[in-house]
């Protein structure tokens, strides 16, 4: 190993790299290319074991999670994709011949927690009653060069040194999944939620489709988009904020029911319930309306809960919540009246501004009627709907893509599903009148000119599609991340996204070697100074040359670098040069 490389590694990392070299010297490839013939898994071995059954030989592979070495016999815990199982190893079973190095050297000295191995052996129950695999052959499959965080616990079950810092867990999700079993369970449930929904849609006869992520116009929602540039076409493009307008084009094209699970992107704030990249499913069904869609959604969520969670009765954020249908229906006007005492029916923009001020809600000149009403509902009402509740019949100003209400002028046929004070689904009787849709888009343009950077763009091609005719249609969008949060009892969206967006890691400034040598410092001593914490010339303790010398002497000795050390006089002559 390069002597200077050692300075960049921890003691454990150095030890693992030395073990790596020992494996190679012993003729063992620590990263073999050959497939390993896995034919059994930890969970299945444990659940199907029968004392009276013939001895079963298995090939199992996984990561070493712990070891107990006891002379000629040892135990280790192996983790695979289904769980953990104990492995029993003896020197004479692993090494039946004269050469005992596989056990004495390779297993005992060269393997570490975190390494991958394959084990061939038979299943048995130990004297203490634990179902285990008695190893007869061991194959090294991958050497881990970094140590895992080791979670310790006492007799009372209290954990110590747990890997539970949220920022580190999200940045290093691969480590999080290894050491925190409950995290893997969340993502297994997430996968099952999506697959269950997909099965329900498919059984209903709806077709899964794919629509563009890069779009010339960011349509289908009121949100601030991400902007990029297509070099070959020399045009701006936007990352999709919603699937809606493309999916409705497919209804125009003759499909009766289409859906898409896809990533949407919104260049907005980040908090415990919002990530700029999120997963949503949108479904559009011809010849249906929002009343039909309410029943479909409550049955959908009920079935998902039963299939994935085993019940419709869940605890979310300390609240007992039932996903069993039917769900309560409340109009937005009635919800605002119930929790503020204000009837917004017929209010113009000025009256709504006064209402916001009276309620202590921030407003500004860029906000039209729709955003003012949304602010009132969001601040004063939304948090109160704990049990699944459909909030229905939104004002037309809030819903530019929604069909006007069949019997209530000024309102639209729209609902949002609220659960535990948060929106889970948004659905419409879709607007299919191309003239009305054009007027709604033009109103959005006026809001944009007032400074509303979330107002919708006018999509001329979508208007053209509507002019070919779209039947009565109902559509719904369901936020997968937020739904998974609720069903798995998580309070942060980062817990249900494998790799959530994070701020950049703090950058450590490190001067180039030339900055040190310009001060008279020999080039071979620069890595030692940086290992000592003097990552920049300015960080060197120039007033205490004795301290600087002592630290590099200690590093030279610890890492056996055998470099010639300067005298105190020579260190004193190093001179800090300002730019």
């Amino acid at each position: 190993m390069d002597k200077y490389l050692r300075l960049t590694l921890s003691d454990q990392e150095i030890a693992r790299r030395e073990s790596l070299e020992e494996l190679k010297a012993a003729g063992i490839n620590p990263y073999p290319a050959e497939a390993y013939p896995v034919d059994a898994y930890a969970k299945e071995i444990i659940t199907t074991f029968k004392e009276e059954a013939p001895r079963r030989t298995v090939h199992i592979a996984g990561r070493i999670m712990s070891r107990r070495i006891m002379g000629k016999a040892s135990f280790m815990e192996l983790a695979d994709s289904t769980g953990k199982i104990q492995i029993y190893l003896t020197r004479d079973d692993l090494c039946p011949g004269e050469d005992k190095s596989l056990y004495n050297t390779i297993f005992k000295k060269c393997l570490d927690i975190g390494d991958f191995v394959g084990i061939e052996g038979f299943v048995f129950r130990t004297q203490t009653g634990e179902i285990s695999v008695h190893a007869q052959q061991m194959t090294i499959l991958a050497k881990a060069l970094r140590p895992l965080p080791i979670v310790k616990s006492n007799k009372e079950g209290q954990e110590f040194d747990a890997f539970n810092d949220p920022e580190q867990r999200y940045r290093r999700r691969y480590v999080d999944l290894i050491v925190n079993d409950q995290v893997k369970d969340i993502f297994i449930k997430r996968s099952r939620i999506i697959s269950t929904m997909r099965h329900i849609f498919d059984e209903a006869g709806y077709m899964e489709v794919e629509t563009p992520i890069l779009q010339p116009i960011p349509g289908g929602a009121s949100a601030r988009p991400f902007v990029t540039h297509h070099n070959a076409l020399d045009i701006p493009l936007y990352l999709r904020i919603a699937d809606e307008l493309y999916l409705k084009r497919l209804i125009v094209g003759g499909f009766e029911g289409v859906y898409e699970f896809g990533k949407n992107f919104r260049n907005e704030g980040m908090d415990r319930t919002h990530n700029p990249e999120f997963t949503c499913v949108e479904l559009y069904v011809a010849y249906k309306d929002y009343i039909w869609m309410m029943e479909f959604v409550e049955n959908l969520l009920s079935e998902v809960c039963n299939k994935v969670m085993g019940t419709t009765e869940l605890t979310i954020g300390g609240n007992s919540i039932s996903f069993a249908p039917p769900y309560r229906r409340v109009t937005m006007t009635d919800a605002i009246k119930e929790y503020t005492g204000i009837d917004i029916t017929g209010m113009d923009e000025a009256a709504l501004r006064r209402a916001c001020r009276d309620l202590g809600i921030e407003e500004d000149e860029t906000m039209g009627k729709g955003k003012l009403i949304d602010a009132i509902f969001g601040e004063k009402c939304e948090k109160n709907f704990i049990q699944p509740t459909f909030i229905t019949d939104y004002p037309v100003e809030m819903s530019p893509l929604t069909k006007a209400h069949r019997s209530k002028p000024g309102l639209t046929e729209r609902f949002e599903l609220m659960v535990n004070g948060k929106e889970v689904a948004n659905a419409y009787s879709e607007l299919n009148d191309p003239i009305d849709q054009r007027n709604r888009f033009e109103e959005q343009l006026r809001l944009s000119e007032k400074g509303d950077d979330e107002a919708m763009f006018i999509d001329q091609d979508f208007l053209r599609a509507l002019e070919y005719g779209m039947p009565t249609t109902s559509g719904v969008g369901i936020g997968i991340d937020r739904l998974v949060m609720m069903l798995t009892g998580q309070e942060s969206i980062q817990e249900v996204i494998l790799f959530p967006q994070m701020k950049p890691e703090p950058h450590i400034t490190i001067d180039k070697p030339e900055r040190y040598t310009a001060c008279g410092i020999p080039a071979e001593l620069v890595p030692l100074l940086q290992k000592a914490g003097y990552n920049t010339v300015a960080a060197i303790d120039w007033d205490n040359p004795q301290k600087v010398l002592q630290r590099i002497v200690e590093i030279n000795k610890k890492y056996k670098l055998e470099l010639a050390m300067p005298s105190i006089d020579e260190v004193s002559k190093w001179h800090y040069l300002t730019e």
Side-chain angles (χ1 to χ4, degrees):
M1 187 190 311
D2 181 85
K3 61 184 179 181
Y4 289 117
L5 174 62
R6 299 169 68 91
L7 297 179
T8 67
L9 303 173
S10 68
D11 291 348
Q12 287 197 54
E13 288 172 323
I14 291 170
R16 286 170 180 258
R17 287 176 186 255
E18 290 173 345
S19 296
L20 180 75
E21 295 306 318
E22 288 186 50
L23 290 173
K24 292 178 180 178
I28 296 173
N29 182 353
Y31 306 104
E34 297 82 6
Y36 188 79
V38 174
D39 57 20
Y41 295 88
K43 183 177 180 180
E44 175 267 327
I45 291 172
I46 293 170
T47 56
T48 62
F49 176 77
K50 292 182 174 60
E51 299 279 3
E52 66 278 8
R55 176 184 287 183
R56 177 188 177 192
T57 297
V58 298
H59 294 80
I60 186 170
R63 188 188 294 272
I64 300 171
M65 297 305 293
S66 66
R67 296 195 306 164
R68 302 196 308 278
I69 297 175
M70 301 174 292
K72 297 180 181 180
S74 299
F75 291 93
M76 70 179 177
E77 184 180 52
L78 201 70
D80 66 12
S81 60
T82 68
K84 297 173 182 175
I85 192 167
Q86 180 173 267
I87 308 296
Y88 174 64
L89 309 96
T90 69
R91 184 192 67 182
D92 293 335
D93 282 323
L94 276 186
C95 311
E98 293 295 322
D99 183 1
K100 306 296 182 183
S101 60
L102 180 62
Y103 181 83
N104 290 336
T105 303
I106 304 304
F107 172 72
K108 293 175 70 174
K109 298 179 181 179
C110 295
L111 291 187
D112 296 285
I113 292 173
D115 293 348
F116 278 90
V117 295
I119 297 293
E120 178 184 344
F122 60 86
V123 184
F124 77 112
R125 189 189 297 273
T126 66
Q127 292 181 353
T128 60
E130 185 168 353
I131 297 168
S132 307
V133 175
H134 187 131
Q136 295 174 301
Q137 289 188 35
M138 180 180 70
T139 304
I140 295 172
L141 301 178
K143 178 69 183 170
L145 299 184
R146 287 180 182 266
L148 291 172
I150 303 299
V151 181
K152 306 179 183 70
S153 59
N154 59 20
K155 294 180 180 179
E156 289 73 37
Q158 293 176 303
E159 289 189 345
F160 303 91
D161 300 327
F163 187 65
N164 55 16
D165 177 75
E167 181 169 344
Q168 289 302 313
R169 288 181 48 239
Y170 304 152
R171 288 192 190 281
R172 294 191 284 162
R173 181 69 85 185
Y174 37 87
V175 177
D176 191 25
L177 291 165
I178 295 168
V179 301
N180 293 322
D181 292 338
Q182 72 279 9
V183 174
K184 182 180 287 186
D185 185 60
I186 291 171
F187 291 101
I188 291 172
K189 284 188 170 70
R190 179 187 174 108
S191 178
R192 291 185 60 203
I193 288 167
I194 293 172
S195 62
T196 301
M197 295 176 77
R198 180 177 277 115
H199 176 74
I200 293 169
F201 296 154
D202 290 344
E203 286 294 299
Y206 308 140
M207 186 174 76
E208 184 168 11
V209 297
E210 295 173 286
T211 62
I213 292 175
L214 289 175
Q215 301 182 353
I217 292 175
S222 297
R224 185 182 303 139
F226 286 93
V227 185
T228 186
H229 185 80
H230 193 296
N231 290 336
L233 296 177
D234 193 24
I235 59 171
L237 289 175
Y238 302 87
L239 294 184
R240 176 172 64 197
I241 60 173
D243 307 18
E244 178 168 345
L245 301 189
Y246 281 93
L247 292 174
K248 287 197 283 194
R249 286 173 169 92
L250 297 178
I251 299 295
V252 171
F255 292 108
E256 189 162 323
V258 293
Y259 71 92
E260 181 174 13
F261 286 92
K263 289 287 189 183
N264 293 337
F265 307 84
R266 297 184 182 177
N267 196 359
E268 299 171 348
M270 293 169 55
D271 57 31
R272 294 177 68 83
T273 58
H274 295 87
N275 194 65
E277 174 185 347
F278 62 96
T279 304
C280 186
V281 61
E282 293 197 33
L283 165 72
Y284 292 84
V285 186
Y287 314 116
K288 307 298 184 185
D289 63 8
Y290 82 138
I291 297 172
W292 175 89
M293 187 62 81
M294 282 188 242
E295 184 176 350
F296 182 86
V297 168
E298 60 191 6
N299 289 330
L300 170 72
L301 296 184
S302 172
E303 186 169 346
V304 167
C305 288
N306 277 319
K307 291 284 179 63
V308 179
M309 308 304 295
T311 179
T312 56
E313 311 303 311
L314 303 177
T315 299
I316 302 174
N319 296 314
S320 297
I321 292 176
S322 174
F323 280 91
Y327 301 164
R328 183 187 177 199
R329 276 90 161 145
V330 181
T331 69
M332 171 162 277
T333 300
D334 287 345
I336 291 175
K337 188 186 299 182
E338 179 180 353
Y339 290 104
T340 70
I342 296 173
D343 186 352
I344 63 170
T345 305
M347 277 192 176
D348 60 15
E349 188 174 311
L352 287 167
R353 289 191 187 282
R354 288 194 296 273
C356 284
R357 288 194 287 269
D358 292 343
L359 293 168
I361 297 171
E362 290 187 12
E363 51 83 23
D364 60 57
E365 292 302 317
T366 69
M367 298 169 71
K369 286 182 64 176
K371 282 212 164 182
L372 293 167
I373 295 169
D374 191 39
I376 294 171
F377 180 80
E379 289 278 340
K380 300 298 180 181
C381 308
E382 188 173 278
K383 61 188 176 186
N384 297 294
F385 294 101
I386 304 302
Q387 297 301 320
T389 304
F390 292 117
I391 305 299
T392 69
D393 302 348
Y394 282 54
V396 67
E397 293 84 2
M398 296 182 65
S399 311
L401 298 169
T402 311
K403 186 184 287 289
H405 200 284
R406 66 194 74 179
S407 62
K408 299 176 182 177
L411 302 181
T412 60
E413 296 197 349
R414 174 186 177 185
F415 72 77
E416 287 186 321
L417 175 61
M418 299 293 166
V419 180
N420 202 41
K422 299 292 183 184
E423 174 202 340
V424 174
N426 185 23
Y428 313 149
S429 291
E430 300 295 337
L431 179 56
N432 60 343
D433 178 343
I435 296 173
D436 189 2
Q437 183 65 82
R438 183 176 295 276
N439 292 336
R440 305 273 194 98
F441 275 151
E442 288 173 352
E443 175 58 28
Q444 289 289 301
L445 180 61
R446 285 189 285 273
L447 290 173
S448 177
E449 290 169 349
K450 286 177 62 177
D452 185 347
D453 58 5
E454 295 184 355
M456 290 188 188
F457 289 55
I458 297 180
D459 189 331
Q460 297 291 351
D461 180 69
F462 175 66
L463 290 172
R464 178 169 57 191
L466 285 186
E467 288 171 354
Y468 282 96
M470 185 177 83
T472 298
T473 298
S474 185
V476 65
I478 299 174
I480 297 298
D481 307 316
R482 196 169 288 178
L483 178 62
V484 175
M485 281 176 63
M486 291 182 177
L487 299 192
T488 59
Q490 303 305 309
E491 295 183 359
S492 170
I493 196 170
Q494 286 85 1
E495 294 290 351
V496 301
I497 297 175
L498 279 168
F499 301 102
Q501 186 65 50
M502 303 288 290
K503 293 180 180 178
E505 292 191 65
H507 175 70
I508 299 175
T509 301
I510 300 178
D511 280 347
K512 294 181 178 180
E514 294 78 11
R515 289 280 290 127
Y516 294 84
T517 56
C519 300
I521 300 171
E524 66 270 18
L525 298 184
V526 173
L528 282 72
L529 287 164
Q530 292 180 338
K531 180 68 174 178
Y534 303 125
N535 288 319
T536 65
V537 168
I540 296 175
D541 193 350
W542 294 97
D543 294 329
N544 194 343
Q546 183 64 49
K547 179 181 177 182
V548 174
L549 177 59
Q550 180 181 345
R551 295 185 71 175
I552 62 174
V553 167
E554 290 172 353
I555 291 169
N556 187 51
K557 181 179 179 181
K558 177 179 179 179
Y559 292 96
K560 301 176 182 179
L561 301 177
E562 299 180 354
L563 295 174
M565 290 289 98
S567 66
I568 186 64
D569 290 338
E570 289 173 315
V571 173
S572 300
K573 292 177 182 177
W574 295 347
H575 182 58
Y576 177 41
L577 300 176
T578 57
E579 297 265 85

